[in-house]
Amino acid sequence: GAGVSQSPSNKVTEKGKDVELRCDPISGHTALYWYRQSLGQGLEFLIYFQGNSAPDKSGLPSDRFSAERTGGSVSTLTIQRTQQEDSAVYLCASSLVRDSPLHFGNGTRLTVT
Amino acid sequence: EDQVTQSPEALRLQEGESSSLNCSYTVSGLRGLFWYRQDPGKGPEFLFTLYSAGEEKEKERLKATLTKKESFLHITAPKPEDSATYLCAVTGGTASKLTFGTGTRLQVTL
Protein backbone atom coordinates (compact mmCIF):
# COMPACT_ATOMS: atom_id res chain seq x y z
CA GLY A 1 0.00 0.00 0.00
CA ALA A 2 1.05 3.59 -0.52
CA GLY A 3 2.76 5.36 2.32
CA VAL A 4 2.94 9.08 3.06
CA SER A 5 4.10 10.97 -0.02
CA GLN A 6 5.83 14.35 0.07
CA SER A 7 6.77 16.66 -2.75
CA PRO A 8 9.09 18.01 -3.83
CA SER A 9 11.83 15.89 -2.30
CA ASN A 10 14.27 18.78 -2.63
CA LYS A 11 13.67 22.51 -2.96
CA VAL A 12 16.25 25.25 -3.36
CA THR A 13 14.92 28.78 -3.12
CA GLU A 14 16.24 32.29 -2.78
CA LYS A 15 15.86 34.23 0.44
CA GLY A 16 12.59 36.17 0.41
CA LYS A 17 10.71 33.83 -1.92
CA ASP A 18 7.61 31.86 -0.90
CA VAL A 19 7.55 28.03 -0.99
CA GLU A 20 4.83 25.39 -0.81
CA LEU A 21 5.45 21.87 0.44
CA ARG A 22 2.91 19.13 -0.20
CA CYS A 23 1.93 16.05 1.79
CA ASP A 24 -0.31 13.18 0.70
CA PRO A 25 -1.14 11.13 3.82
CA ILE A 26 -2.14 7.49 3.97
CA SER A 27 -5.75 7.09 2.90
CA GLY A 28 -8.11 6.91 5.88
CA HIS A 29 -5.68 8.47 8.34
CA THR A 30 -7.47 11.21 10.27
CA ALA A 31 -4.44 12.80 11.94
CA LEU A 32 -1.70 14.67 10.07
CA TYR A 33 1.45 16.26 11.48
CA TRP A 34 4.20 18.50 10.16
CA TYR A 35 7.64 18.40 11.79
CA ARG A 36 10.93 20.10 10.96
CA GLN A 37 14.34 18.42 11.35
CA SER A 38 17.53 20.45 11.30
CA LEU A 39 21.02 18.97 11.24
CA GLY A 40 21.90 17.70 14.70
CA GLN A 41 18.51 18.70 16.10
CA GLY A 42 15.54 16.66 17.15
CA LEU A 43 12.25 16.73 15.31
CA GLU A 44 10.51 20.05 15.95
CA PHE A 45 6.69 19.97 15.97
CA LEU A 46 5.03 22.51 13.68
CA ILE A 47 1.31 21.77 13.30
CA TYR A 48 -1.30 19.02 13.84
CA PHE A 49 -4.58 18.37 12.03
CA GLN A 50 -7.22 16.00 13.41
CA GLY A 51 -10.33 15.39 11.34
CA ASN A 52 -12.50 18.51 11.12
CA SER A 53 -11.20 20.02 14.37
CA ALA A 54 -9.30 23.28 14.47
CA PRO A 55 -5.59 22.57 13.90
CA ASP A 56 -3.02 22.85 16.69
CA LYS A 57 -0.70 25.55 15.32
CA SER A 58 1.29 25.96 18.52
CA GLY A 59 4.58 24.86 16.94
CA LEU A 60 4.66 27.27 14.01
CA PRO A 61 7.80 29.39 14.56
CA SER A 62 6.45 32.62 13.02
CA ASP A 63 3.52 34.05 11.09
CA ARG A 64 5.45 33.38 7.88
CA PHE A 65 4.47 29.73 8.30
CA SER A 66 0.97 28.45 7.55
CA ALA A 67 -0.60 25.14 6.65
CA GLU A 68 -3.90 23.83 5.45
CA ARG A 69 -5.47 20.44 4.96
CA THR A 70 -8.09 20.22 2.25
CA GLY A 71 -10.91 17.69 2.38
CA GLY A 72 -9.30 15.92 5.29
CA SER A 73 -6.58 14.59 3.02
CA VAL A 74 -3.78 16.49 1.25
CA SER A 75 -1.91 19.12 3.26
CA THR A 76 0.20 22.06 2.14
CA LEU A 77 2.77 23.84 4.30
CA THR A 78 3.54 27.36 3.06
CA ILE A 79 6.54 29.42 4.10
CA GLN A 80 6.42 33.07 3.05
CA ARG A 81 9.46 35.31 2.65
CA THR A 82 11.87 32.45 3.34
CA GLN A 83 14.94 33.05 5.49
CA GLN A 84 18.19 31.07 5.67
CA GLU A 85 17.23 29.72 9.09
CA ASP A 86 14.24 28.01 7.44
CA SER A 87 16.64 25.56 5.76
CA ALA A 88 15.80 22.10 7.10
CA VAL A 89 14.05 18.85 6.25
CA TYR A 90 10.28 19.20 6.56
CA LEU A 91 8.61 15.92 7.49
CA CYS A 92 4.95 15.06 7.22
CA ALA A 93 3.35 12.18 9.11
CA SER A 94 -0.12 10.72 9.35
CA SER A 95 -1.77 8.37 11.82
CA LEU A 96 -5.02 6.44 11.85
CA VAL A 97 -6.25 8.23 14.95
CA ARG A 98 -4.71 10.33 17.73
CA ASP A 99 -2.01 8.33 19.61
CA SER A 100 -1.69 5.73 16.85
CA PRO A 101 1.85 5.33 15.51
CA LEU A 102 2.91 8.05 13.11
CA HIS A 103 3.85 7.07 9.56
CA PHE A 104 6.34 9.51 8.09
CA GLY A 105 7.10 10.54 4.55
CA ASN A 106 10.70 10.94 3.43
CA GLY A 107 10.54 14.69 3.78
CA THR A 108 11.27 17.77 1.70
CA ARG A 109 14.80 19.10 2.03
CA LEU A 110 14.51 22.91 1.84
CA THR A 111 17.60 24.99 1.18
CA VAL A 112 17.33 28.78 1.30
CA THR A 113 20.23 30.55 -0.41
CA GLU B 1 6.64 20.83 29.05
CA ASP B 2 7.41 17.29 27.89
CA GLN B 3 11.11 16.45 27.66
CA VAL B 4 13.01 13.53 26.14
CA THR B 5 16.74 12.90 26.56
CA GLN B 6 18.49 10.09 24.72
CA SER B 7 21.88 8.60 25.47
CA PRO B 8 24.43 7.95 24.23
CA GLU B 9 24.44 10.37 21.28
CA ALA B 10 26.43 7.87 19.26
CA LEU B 11 27.31 4.22 19.71
CA ARG B 12 29.64 2.00 17.74
CA LEU B 13 29.27 -1.77 18.15
CA GLN B 14 30.85 -4.76 16.56
CA GLU B 15 28.53 -7.28 14.97
CA GLY B 16 27.14 -9.53 17.70
CA GLU B 17 27.98 -7.10 20.53
CA SER B 18 24.73 -6.49 22.43
CA SER B 19 23.95 -3.13 24.05
CA SER B 20 21.17 -0.81 25.19
CA LEU B 21 20.02 2.68 24.24
CA ASN B 22 18.44 4.90 26.89
CA CYS B 23 15.51 7.31 26.67
CA SER B 24 14.75 9.38 29.77
CA TYR B 25 11.50 11.31 29.71
CA THR B 26 9.43 13.81 31.63
CA VAL B 27 5.75 13.98 30.79
CA SER B 28 2.55 14.63 32.66
CA GLY B 29 0.18 11.72 32.15
CA LEU B 30 2.00 9.49 29.68
CA ARG B 31 -0.25 8.38 26.84
CA GLY B 32 2.48 6.60 24.89
CA LEU B 33 6.23 6.24 24.33
CA PHE B 34 7.35 5.51 20.79
CA TRP B 35 10.57 4.19 19.29
CA TYR B 36 11.48 4.96 15.68
CA ARG B 37 14.38 4.08 13.43
CA GLN B 38 15.66 6.64 10.91
CA ASP B 39 18.01 5.87 8.01
CA PRO B 40 19.90 8.69 6.24
CA GLY B 41 17.69 10.59 3.82
CA LYS B 42 14.53 8.82 5.00
CA GLY B 43 11.69 9.61 7.35
CA PRO B 44 11.49 7.86 10.73
CA GLU B 45 10.12 4.31 10.64
CA PHE B 46 7.90 3.13 13.50
CA LEU B 47 9.23 0.34 15.72
CA PHE B 48 7.29 0.15 19.01
CA THR B 49 4.69 1.82 21.21
CA LEU B 50 4.75 1.35 24.98
CA TYR B 51 1.89 2.61 27.13
CA SER B 52 2.60 1.75 30.77
CA ALA B 53 5.48 0.96 33.11
CA GLY B 54 6.51 -2.68 32.99
CA GLU B 55 5.46 -3.14 29.40
CA GLU B 56 7.88 -4.81 26.97
CA LYS B 57 7.78 -5.26 23.18
CA GLU B 58 10.07 -7.32 20.95
CA LYS B 59 10.82 -7.42 17.25
CA GLU B 60 13.66 -9.52 15.87
CA ARG B 61 16.87 -8.33 17.60
CA LEU B 62 15.17 -5.37 19.31
CA LYS B 63 13.40 -5.26 22.67
CA ALA B 64 11.89 -2.13 24.20
CA THR B 65 11.12 -1.75 27.90
CA LEU B 66 9.46 1.02 29.91
CA THR B 67 9.64 2.33 33.48
CA LYS B 68 8.04 5.46 34.93
CA LYS B 69 11.10 7.54 34.08
CA GLU B 70 12.86 5.88 31.16
CA SER B 71 12.77 3.41 28.33
CA PHE B 72 15.49 1.15 27.02
CA LEU B 73 15.95 -0.24 23.55
CA HIS B 74 17.98 -3.41 23.87
CA ILE B 75 19.78 -4.65 20.77
CA THR B 76 20.82 -8.29 20.89
CA ALA B 77 23.57 -9.56 18.58
CA PRO B 78 23.28 -6.59 16.20
CA LYS B 79 24.05 -6.79 12.50
CA PRO B 80 25.40 -4.05 10.21
CA GLU B 81 21.89 -3.50 8.83
CA ASP B 82 20.82 -2.32 12.30
CA SER B 83 22.96 0.77 11.77
CA ALA B 84 20.65 3.81 11.92
CA THR B 85 19.55 6.62 14.21
CA TYR B 86 17.07 5.50 16.85
CA LEU B 87 14.56 8.09 18.02
CA CYS B 88 12.39 8.07 21.13
CA ALA B 89 9.23 10.17 21.48
CA VAL B 90 6.50 10.70 24.07
CA THR B 91 3.00 12.11 24.17
CA GLY B 92 1.00 12.84 27.26
CA GLY B 93 -1.67 14.89 28.98
CA THR B 94 -3.71 16.92 26.51
CA ALA B 95 -0.84 17.36 24.05
CA SER B 96 -1.55 16.63 20.42
CA LYS B 97 2.10 16.36 19.44
CA LEU B 98 4.85 13.81 19.98
CA THR B 99 7.97 15.24 21.63
CA PHE B 100 11.12 13.66 20.19
CA GLY B 101 14.60 13.19 21.57
CA THR B 102 17.65 13.97 19.43
CA GLY B 103 18.35 10.29 18.87
CA THR B 104 21.16 7.78 19.23
CA ARG B 105 23.26 7.20 16.13
CA LEU B 106 24.16 3.50 16.04
CA GLN B 107 26.89 2.05 13.86
CA VAL B 108 27.41 -1.71 13.73
CA THR B 109 30.62 -2.91 12.11
CA LEU B 110 31.75 -6.33 10.93
Side-chain angles (χ1 to χ4, degrees):
Chain A
V4 176
S5 177
Q6 292 188 246
S7 61
S9 55
N10 282 284
K11 177 72 176 177
V12 180
T13 190
E14 291 181 352
K15 178 181 171 182
K17 295 285 179 69
D18 297 352
V19 295
E20 283 190 354
L21 312 181
R22 178 187 168 103
C23 173
D24 279 281
I26 294 173
S27 178
H29 279 196
T30 64
L32 187 146
Y33 302 76
W34 284 97
Y35 279 84
R36 178 167 72 174
Q37 188 172 35
S38 304
L39 195 63
Q41 304 287 320
L43 273 73
E44 176 189 3
F45 168 76
L46 297 177
I47 190 168
Y48 163 74
F49 296 90
Q50 173 62 60
N52 295 321
S53 302
D56 177 355
K57 304 180 182 179
S58 60
L60 295 179
S62 77
D63 58 8
R64 297 186 295 104
F65 289 71
S66 63
E68 62 177 19
R69 187 179 185 191
T70 53
S73 182
V74 171
S75 179
T76 302
L77 177 69
T78 302
I79 309 174
Q80 296 179 311
R81 306 181 301 281
T82 52
Q83 304 294 313
Q84 287 189 329
E85 60 262 30
D86 299 335
S87 296
V89 175
Y90 289 81
L91 291 163
C92 175
S94 68
S95 67
L96 189 59
V97 294
R98 187 191 190 208
D99 292 351
S100 296
L102 271 61
H103 297 265
F104 283 86
N106 286 328
T108 294
R109 180 175 298 277
L110 176 66
T111 303
V112 182
T113 61
Chain B
E1 187 168 322
D2 301 345
Q3 290 190 337
V4 177
T5 303
Q6 292 188 246
S7 61
E9 288 186 12
L11 181 62
R12 186 183 173 108
L13 299 173
Q14 286 197 321
E15 185 175 14
E17 180 186 2
S18 301
S19 188
S20 297
L21 312 183
N22 178 263
C23 170
S24 297
Y25 65 91
T26 303
V27 66
S28 179
L30 179 73
R31 299 202 319 268
L33 183 142
F34 301 81
W35 281 99
Y36 286 85
R37 168 195 171 124
Q38 186 173 25
D39 293 298
K42 303 286 189 182
E45 175 188 350
F46 170 72
L47 294 173
F48 303 108
T49 310
L50 301 167
Y51 294 103
S52 58
E55 190 174 358
E56 300 182 351
K57 294 265 180 82
E58 281 190 71
K59 178 181 179 180
E60 296 180 352
R61 296 177 293 282
L62 299 177
K63 178 179 178 180
T65 62
L66 180 65
T67 73
K68 289 186 178 179
K69 294 183 178 179
E70 58 191 350
S71 177
F72 291 93
L73 185 65
H74 306 278
I75 303 177
T76 302
K79 299 182 178 182
E81 53 262 41
D82 295 323
S83 297
T85 296
Y86 290 84
L87 299 169
C88 174
V90 296
T91 189
T94 58
S96 50
K97 66 179 182 180
L98 267 67
T99 298
F100 282 82
T102 52
T104 292
R105 195 169 62 254
L106 174 66
Q107 183 180 12
V108 182
T109 59
L110 292 171

